Amino acid sequence: QVQLVESGGDWVQAGGSLRLSCAASGTWFSINGMGWYRQAPGKQRELVASITSTHITNYADSVKGRFTISRDNAKNTVYLQMNSLKPEDTAVYYCYAGGFQRSDYPFTSWGQGTQVTVSS
């Protein structure tokens, strides 16, 4: 099993910054993609940013230029630096990781979620 533990969610005023972290633990053969989704009240969960094991990144249009995803493979940790935060960024942010527990056994794991609240 692969467990993900997130941290860094908080309350912040608009224009502020937060850094989310997500650390993976357990056993696996490989972790390929990692990233962050978010879900605001009454809305569907949406992809915020993703990063591959070779550090290729992808961002939602709504966060491009403001958020930066990074990854430390040695620490099995993914980060989300969020700058110029807006009230519409308010949501529960979920970390995910996908890969293989064995060479032929894929997995996708999710964190428990961390609340980000941006006040205007």
Side-chain angles (χ1 to χ4, degrees):
Q1 274 189 322
V2 179
Q3 294 83 38
L4 301 175
V5 178
E6 300 135 332
S7 61
D10 205 343
W11 175 92
V12 66
Q13 287 191 321
S17 298
L18 286 174
R19 188 192 196 206
L20 305 183
S21 299
C22 173
S25 63
T27 58
W28 57 80
F29 178 75
S30 65
I31 296 180
N32 302 326
M34 299 185 79
W36 297 88
Y37 277 72
R38 67 186 179 186
Q39 188 166 19
K43 295 188 176 181
Q44 288 189 329
R45 191 175 293 192
E46 63 173 355
L47 176 67
V48 177
S50 63
I51 186 167
T52 69
S53 58
T54 56
H55 303 279
I56 296 172
T57 59
N58 181 52
Y59 295 94
D61 288 343
S62 59
V63 306
K64 283 180 181 177
R66 301 187 298 121
F67 291 11
T68 301
I69 189 169
S70 61
R71 176 173 174 172
D72 186 334
N73 289 333
K75 296 182 178 180
N76 301 310
T77 300
V78 63
Y79 306 95
L80 186 68
Q81 177 67 43
M82 305 186 292
N83 299 328
S84 302
L85 282 161
K86 304 175 180 180
E88 50 264 44
D89 295 317
T90 295
V92 177
Y93 284 70
Y94 296 92
C95 169
Y96 78 90
F100 289 86
Q101 281 193 282
R102 300 192 306 264
S103 60
D104 59 346
Y105 192 78
F107 77 88
T108 301
S109 292
W110 292 87
Q112 79 284 359
T114 186
Q115 176 71 46
V116 172
T117 303
V118 185
S119 66
S120 58

